Amino acid sequence: MQRGVPIRSASRTLLILQIVNQSSGLTMMEIAERSGLPYPTVRRIVLTLLHDQFLEHADDAKRYRPTALVTSLSHGFRDHSILVSTARPHLEDSQAGTFGLSRWSQGSGNDGRA
């Protein structure tokens, strides 16, 4: 058993979902090439994602694209990183302070010469 990846099939499925989600439609062969996974593995995963309605056939029926159900995977995501919480007040202060300056610098079109 390979160490480091508890459920390799889950990792492979997420990889395929990411690859398909970043395109407008891919064939199984294109998915296999981009993922570096064997074609039979890609086929089983794509068929599973079709069955679970995360993928659908594109117009030509040989290509696959994500469905709206894919967006449900991000609903619980909240970025509460320390970087965001630390930077937000500074960015808000900066934005509030420079807004007046940027409006002032635009002026009335007069360059200050008489």
Side-chain angles (χ1 to χ4, degrees):
M1 177 179 246
Q2 187 179 19
R3 293 188 182 267
V5 182
I7 303 175
R8 191 170 61 172
S9 62
S11 295
R12 288 176 166 187
T13 301
L14 291 172
L15 173 64
I16 288 174
L17 199 51
Q18 285 178 320
I19 289 169
V20 174
N21 197 35
Q22 294 170 356
S23 72
S24 58
L26 296 171
T27 65
M28 280 197 209
M29 185 58 74
E30 290 169 332
I31 297 167
E33 289 169 357
R34 291 184 186 191
S35 68
L37 297 173
Y39 183 87
T41 301
V42 170
R43 184 175 184 283
R44 286 191 309 271
I45 293 172
V46 167
L47 291 176
T48 300
L49 291 168
L50 277 169
H51 177 267
D52 292 341
Q53 299 180 350
F54 284 98
L55 295 182
E56 65 185 5
H57 289 282
D59 297 331
D60 67 3
K62 290 186 178 186
R63 296 186 176 275
Y64 301 90
R65 62 179 174 221
T67 66
L69 190 56
V70 171
T71 61
S72 71
L73 299 173
S74 65
H75 286 314
F77 175 75
R78 300 287 185 264
D79 190 1
H80 295 291
S81 71
I82 191 164
L83 176 63
V84 172
S85 61
T86 302
R88 180 174 281 125
H90 299 289
L91 291 171
E92 289 171 351
D93 288 346
S94 174
Q95 185 179 16
T98 58
F99 179 70
L101 291 176
S102 65
R103 289 187 55 159
W104 175 78
S105 66
Q106 290 174 355
S108 62
N110 185 348
D111 64 1
R113 289 184 258 172

